Amino acid sequence: MLDTIDGIIWGPFVLIPLLLGTGIWLTVRLGGVQFTKLAAALHLAFVRRSDGSEEEGDVSHYQSLATALAATVGVGNIAGVATAIHLGGPGALFWMWVSAIFGMAAKYSEAFMGVRFRTIDANGEVSGGPQYYLHKAIPNGFGKFLSIFFCIAAIIASFGIGNLTQSNSVAAAMHDTFGVNHWVVGVVLALMTGIVLLRGLKSIANVTSAIVPFMIVFYVVAGFIVLLINVKGIPDALGLVFTDAFTGTAAVGGFAGAAMAQAIQFGIARGIFSNESGMGSAAIVAAAAKTKHPVRQGLVSMTQTFIDTIIVVSMTGLVILTTGVWREGKTGAALTAQGFSTGLPGNWGGIIVAIALIFFAYSTVLGWAYYGERNVERLLGVRFVVPYRILFSAIVLIGAVSELTVVWTFSDIANGLMALPNLIGLLICSGLIARETKAYLAVDPTLHHAPEVATLDGIDGLPASR
């Protein structure tokens, strides 16, 4: 039953055309902002890092980006890419790139909206995301329905993709590579998670901002070494990616073959699973950023999809293809580990993938815990936040010691159900997003000046933005 539901949601008639269509529409309305402002956005995110401590918000641009990257650069970057290639062939990597390119416009838009309609909660903390802007920006019963729908889906997803699957992957990697008992991993992971969560967003941001640069550089450098060793295979690998994206893949070795439709379906589905563009999740932590204007944080958040998919996912995919292991029938993290093991001497490949998987998965747990608690607060009230944190930490233990069979499919469904109301909301609000974006960039095209107030305050009767 879950497979059937998953096939409908991620099939050719629901999310795939909605995701691509929304991304293309927003790209056109925003004038291709993901191409024209990427360099300026990367500079603001990693060089300047902040608009200043006096701005409204709880964390800096960089900390917001690091927390969002922590939630997205996870098991999907290691296991998800391999699964997409296993099921859809090498062409699936091309469609992951496509989902990322147009997904950057969606990521920008949802982060913009997150800051634009953020609020202060009962604890004095900044809170925002689709659970707020869908209701505020669409001021009728439909907006409220979309908001509640998103809240419920996000809370469910936080326990699935943000918890059970991640802790299970950490426990499996520790057991298979280092021989550590699942229960030991589960207890340690649950305690570490609980300690960080109970101290709130600033603690999460401090931990993720320290972990994320290390884990991404560590993994990308290892992948780059594999590609250097197999440099002669890169042209053939890229040729496979581009040709099979439109023709499908014939059966070779242990690979059963895949049609073009499978490449599109699994490429886009796994791409969104990895970078979360259009899901609305990144808007939740973007709303907490200290920023002078929603456009600035929107552009910073946009770089998250670029780093996640164009850099990290590409590295995984090219390692799998250049080493030729995609033909041998394995899937998931085992296929990625085989690629690194084939490309590197001794046992280093498996160890590197295991270490990366541990860091990727644990950081994802922390990022998704914040996403979940913000939606619990919106739906049930601030008094339920601490119980949620405790329950979330306990579920980490359960995930580590359990055999997960349907949870991955369940997580896919929850991700899709999050994306549906958010994408509909972005389409409805695309006019507002485009007008305020163009007005701001006309004043500050390089993101260096940071005007103190928005140039379009109170447009369409909406509250003024800073």
Side-chain angles (χ1 to χ4, degrees):
M1 183 183 69
L2 289 175
D3 285 340
T4 301
I5 296 171
D6 189 46
I8 293 171
I9 292 176
W10 287 103
F13 304 110
V14 184
L15 264 185
I16 288 179
L18 184 58
L19 281 162
L20 282 180
T22 303
I24 292 169
W25 176 249
L26 290 170
T27 296
V28 172
R29 296 217 65 172
L30 293 168
V33 71
Q34 67 266 53
F35 306 110
T36 61
K37 300 301 176 185
L38 178 60
L42 288 168
H43 183 272
L44 177 57
F46 293 100
V47 179
R48 294 192 61 182
R49 293 194 173 202
S50 175
D51 278 348
S53 59
E54 75 280 359
E55 299 304 321
E56 294 178 3
D58 295 327
V59 294
S60 68
H61 282 307
Y62 172 71
Q63 288 177 317
S64 172
L65 175 62
T67 304
L69 275 171
T72 53
V73 179
V75 174
N77 294 75
I78 294 176
V81 184
T83 301
I85 292 173
H86 174 73
L87 295 174
L93 183 58
F94 173 84
W95 293 106
M96 294 183 85
W97 291 338
V98 170
S99 76
I101 290 169
F102 292 113
M104 288 173 72
K107 183 80 76 172
Y108 165 82
S109 299
E110 61 195 19
F112 170 93
M113 293 289 285
V115 177
R116 180 68 167 79
F117 294 97
R118 63 187 179 181
T119 188
I120 305 296
D121 66 19
N123 287 333
E125 295 179 343
V126 175
S127 191
Q131 70 275 29
Y132 288 98
Y133 65 65
L134 290 172
H135 190 193
K136 290 184 175 183
I138 309 172
N140 52 44
F142 186 58
K144 183 177 182 180
F145 166 76
L146 292 176
S147 170
I148 294 173
F149 191 107
F150 178 87
C151 274
I152 295 171
I155 293 169
I156 294 172
S158 74
F159 288 111
I161 185 55
N163 190 322
L164 287 166
T165 58
Q166 307 296 330
S167 61
N168 187 266
S169 297
V170 171
M174 290 293 290
H175 180 268
D176 296 343
T177 308
F178 306 109
V180 182
N181 185 277
H182 284 259
W183 277 97
V184 174
V185 176
V187 170
V188 172
L189 203 59
L191 288 174
M192 289 172 59
T193 302
I195 290 170
V196 175
L197 297 190
L198 289 173
R199 297 174 64 185
L201 172 61
K202 291 183 180 179
S203 177
I204 295 173
N206 287 335
V207 173
T208 55
S209 61
I211 290 177
V212 165
F214 165 77
M215 74 182 193
I216 291 178
V217 170
F218 171 79
Y219 186 74
V220 169
V221 168
F224 186 70
I225 293 172
V226 174
L227 294 184
L228 280 179
I229 294 172
N230 295 277
V231 67
K232 292 182 179 179
I234 294 177
D236 289 341
L238 291 174
L240 276 174
V241 170
F242 287 103
T243 57
D244 291 359
F246 300 98
T247 61
T249 313
V252 286
F255 182 71
M260 175 183 168
Q262 288 175 286
I264 296 174
Q265 178 180 351
F266 293 111
I268 293 177
R270 293 296 99 187
I272 299 303
F273 185 87
S274 174
N275 62 51
E276 299 178 12
S277 294
M279 281 177 56
S281 52
I284 299 171
V285 70
K290 296 176 180 177
T291 184
K292 294 179 184 295
H293 195 281
V295 168
R296 297 173 69 80
Q297 183 56 40
L299 290 171
V300 168
S301 295
M302 179 186 75
T303 66
Q304 173 196 338
T305 299
F306 176 81
I307 295 167
D308 176 274
T309 304
I310 305 302
I311 296 178
V312 183
V313 162
S314 296
M315 191 61 67
T316 301
L318 290 175
V319 164
I320 291 170
L321 295 175
T322 56
T323 55
V325 298
W326 67 277
R327 301 183 179 94
E328 298 177 15
K330 289 189 177 182
T331 187
L335 176 57
T336 303
Q338 187 181 9
F340 275 85
S341 296
T342 302
L344 295 173
N347 298 321
W348 280 107
I351 293 172
I352 285 171
V353 171
I355 293 172
L357 189 64
I358 291 164
F359 276 104
F360 284 13
Y362 178 62
S363 65
T364 298
V365 168
L366 296 180
W368 267 93
Y370 180 71
Y371 295 163
E373 76 169 53
R374 293 294 90 181
N375 282 278
V376 165
E377 178 204 332
R378 176 74 173 98
L379 196 63
L380 302 174
V382 72
R383 67 184 183 279
F384 285 91
V385 168
V386 172
Y388 169 83
R389 291 172 178 172
I390 295 170
L391 176 61
F392 189 91
S393 301
I395 297 294
V396 168
L397 172 60
I398 294 173
V401 301
S402 301
E403 289 291 332
L404 303 185
T405 53
V406 299
V407 170
W408 281 99
T409 305
F410 185 77
S411 299
D412 250 359
I413 294 171
N415 283 2
L417 293 178
M418 280 180 66
L420 279 172
N422 185 58
L423 291 169
I424 292 169
L426 293 181
L427 286 172
I428 293 172
C429 298
S430 60
L432 166 68
I433 299 167
R435 287 194 299 274
E436 293 209 12
T437 298
K438 291 174 182 177
Y440 180 83
L441 292 177
V443 177
D444 184 23
T446 60
L447 307 183
H448 287 161
H449 303 301
E452 288 297 324
V453 295
T455 54
L456 288 180
D457 280 339
I459 189 168
D460 294 338
L462 294 170
S465 61
R466 289 190 71 243

